[in-house]
């Protein structure tokens, strides 16, 4: 069986914690988790021509994630984010402006890659600068689009969100984002399930997933509902938990795995990452199965 090709597009940057820096950026976190799951994954982004950019390129080589589609920007610096954690491990972010990943260019090779990929993954943060134009070009050739809203005020606007949602087959929100989107689209309903069905009709998305933190997630695809009530863990920090959840979800969907099993695995993976420091801990298949009580 041929491996499915998954392409992630967007920010790669350094998360600066009080104790030191860790590599991050939501679409990179998704790509890294997909790689751990065994996917054939590619990542499109840009880093600065600086020491932090050099470290990123070295890390990609170690992780065996191809760097063919990583541009090196001699004008703009490698991205950085100040991360602070509250007493519950929930993260707050201060994102530096005009980073290299804000200026990703369209290339012929990237267009060809996206055109043959089984899934194209992007988030809303990449739309805050010049890279938004590049995303528009990529969406003209992509076949199955995964939009992780990952909203970071003030780096989005309502009109753009509606446009991007209408071009995606899979939408992923957290519960706060769901209610915000429902308000933007003037949903007349009150419950989560009603909002999800309304958003699916309004956008044409065939699949919508809503994460609920410690309370798990819900998945709606083509009129069918799937639920997981979450896994109990002690949170270390929430950085990257939603990204690893999404990677596991995408991997199951593109490989046509049973959806309830896929959702259960995604919730378990998100929980394990929340119980670990940083966005990209290496969670093995056996560790995941053991956590789920399967072995």
């Amino acid at each position: 069986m041929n491996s499915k090709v998954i392409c992630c597009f967007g920010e790669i940057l350094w998360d600066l914690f009080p104790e030191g820096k860790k590599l991050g950026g939501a679409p990179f976190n998704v790509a890294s988790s997909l790689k751990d799951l065994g996917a054939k994954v590619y990542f499109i982004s840009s880093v600065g021509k600086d020491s932090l950019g050099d470290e990123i390129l070295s890390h990609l080589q170690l992780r065996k994630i191809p760097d063919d589609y990583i541009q090196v920007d001699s004008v703009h610096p490698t991205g950085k984010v100040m991360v602070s954690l509250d007493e519950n491990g929930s993260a707050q972010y201060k994102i530096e402006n005009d980073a290299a990943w804000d200026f990703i260019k369209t290339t012929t090779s990237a267009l060809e890659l996206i055109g043959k990929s089984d899934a194209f993954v992007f988030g809303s943060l990449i739309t805050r600068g010049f890279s938004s134009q590049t995303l528009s070009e990529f969406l003209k050739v992509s076949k199955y689009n995964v939009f992780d809203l990952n909203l970071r005020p003030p780096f989005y606007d309502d009109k753009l969100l509606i446009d991007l949602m209408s071009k995606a087959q899979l939408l992923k929100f957290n519960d706060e984002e769901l209610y915000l989107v429902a308000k933007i689209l003037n949903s007349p309903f009150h419950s989560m399930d009603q909002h999800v069905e309304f958003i699916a009709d309004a956008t044409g998305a065939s699949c919508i997933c809503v994460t609920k933190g410690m309370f798990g997630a819900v998945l709606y695809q083509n009129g069918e509902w799937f639920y997981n009530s979450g896994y109990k863990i002690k949170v270390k920090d929430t950085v990257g938990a939603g990204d690893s959840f999404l990677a596991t979800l995408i991997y199951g969907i593109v490989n046509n795995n049973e959806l309830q099993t896929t959702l259960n695995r995604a919730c378990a993976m998100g929980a394990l990452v929340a119980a670990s420091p940083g966005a990209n801990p290496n969670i093995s298949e056996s560790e995941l199965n053991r956590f789920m009580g399967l072995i």
Side-chain angles (χ1 to χ4, degrees):
M1 182 179 71
N2 293 329
S3 297
K4 303 293 185 180
V5 176
I6 303 172
C7 181
C8 300
F9 169 67
E11 63 271 17
I12 188 169
L13 45 80
W14 289 103
D15 287 324
L16 305 180
F17 293 84
E19 69 273 15
K21 68 181 190 298
K22 296 181 184 293
L23 195 53
F28 169 72
N29 296 339
V30 173
S32 182
S33 295
L34 282 165
K35 180 68 176 177
D36 287 340
L37 290 165
K40 188 174 183 180
V41 63
Y42 294 91
F43 184 59
I44 302 173
S45 190
S46 182
V47 300
K49 193 175 182 179
D50 49 36
S51 59
L52 290 177
D54 292 342
E55 283 189 70
I56 286 176
L57 295 175
S58 296
H59 183 85
L60 290 175
Q61 290 178 352
L62 288 173
R63 297 283 292 113
K64 296 184 178 179
I65 296 174
D67 62 4
D68 309 53
Y69 303 93
I70 305 296
Q71 300 166 20
V72 178
D73 189 328
S74 60
V75 177
H76 303 97
T78 298
K80 298 190 291 292
V81 175
M82 298 295 297
V83 183
S84 57
L85 303 174
D86 66 18
E87 61 208 17
N88 298 315
S90 294
Q92 300 294 320
Y93 307 93
K94 183 178 179 181
I95 307 168
E96 290 193 358
N97 290 313
D98 293 330
W101 57 264
D102 285 307
F103 299 91
I104 305 169
K105 299 178 178 65
T106 306
T107 66
T108 301
S109 60
L111 288 168
E112 291 175 351
L113 169 68
I114 293 166
K116 69 181 181 182
S117 294
D118 296 284
F120 175 62
V121 186
F122 64 95
S124 57
L125 187 55
I126 198 62
T127 65
R128 73 176 190 171
F130 172 84
S131 296
S132 184
Q133 300 176 38
T134 303
L135 174 60
S136 295
E137 293 301 310
F138 289 166
L139 288 172
K140 293 177 183 178
V141 299
S142 55
K143 296 180 293 188
Y144 184 84
N145 299 320
V146 179
F147 182 21
D148 177 14
L149 270 74
N150 201 21
L151 300 181
R152 299 280 182 258
F155 301 122
Y156 66 91
D157 64 67
D158 296 353
K159 182 179 178 181
L160 181 62
L161 283 183
I162 292 171
D163 179 59
L164 292 175
M165 285 189 290
S166 71
K167 294 176 180 175
Q169 285 71 45
L170 168 57
L171 300 175
K172 182 253 184 185
F173 318 105
N174 62 33
D175 44 3
E176 290 183 8
E177 291 164 345
L178 169 74
Y179 289 106
L180 177 61
V181 169
K183 183 177 180 180
I184 291 170
L185 291 174
N186 296 313
S187 170
F189 302 109
H190 297 284
S191 75
M192 176 178 290
D193 289 9
Q194 288 174 316
H195 282 322
V196 167
E197 291 183 351
F198 176 84
I199 293 168
D201 288 339
T203 63
S206 57
C207 185
I208 294 179
C209 187
V210 183
T211 58
K212 302 189 295 178
M214 66 183 291
F215 301 108
V218 299
L219 179 69
Y220 177 77
Q221 178 160 291
N222 298 324
E224 288 190 86
W225 285 96
F226 304 88
Y227 300 89
N228 180 284
S229 58
Y231 295 88
K232 189 173 183 179
I233 47 94
K234 183 176 181 180
V235 174
K236 182 70 174 180
D237 69 60
T238 60
V239 180
D243 304 325
S244 61
F245 169 95
L246 180 58
T248 310
L249 183 71
I250 294 167
Y251 186 79
I253 288 174
V254 300
N255 284 289
N256 296 313
N257 295 337
E258 198 270 327
L259 286 176
Q260 185 62 61
T261 300
T262 293
L263 183 64
N264 294 343
R265 284 172 56 84
C267 287
M269 183 65 80
L272 283 172
V273 172
S276 307
N280 294 295
N282 190 1
I283 309 295
S284 68
E285 181 76 14
S286 60
E287 186 177 358
L288 179 64
N289 288 332
R290 190 176 302 110
F291 179 70
M292 294 177 69
L294 300 177
I295 59 175

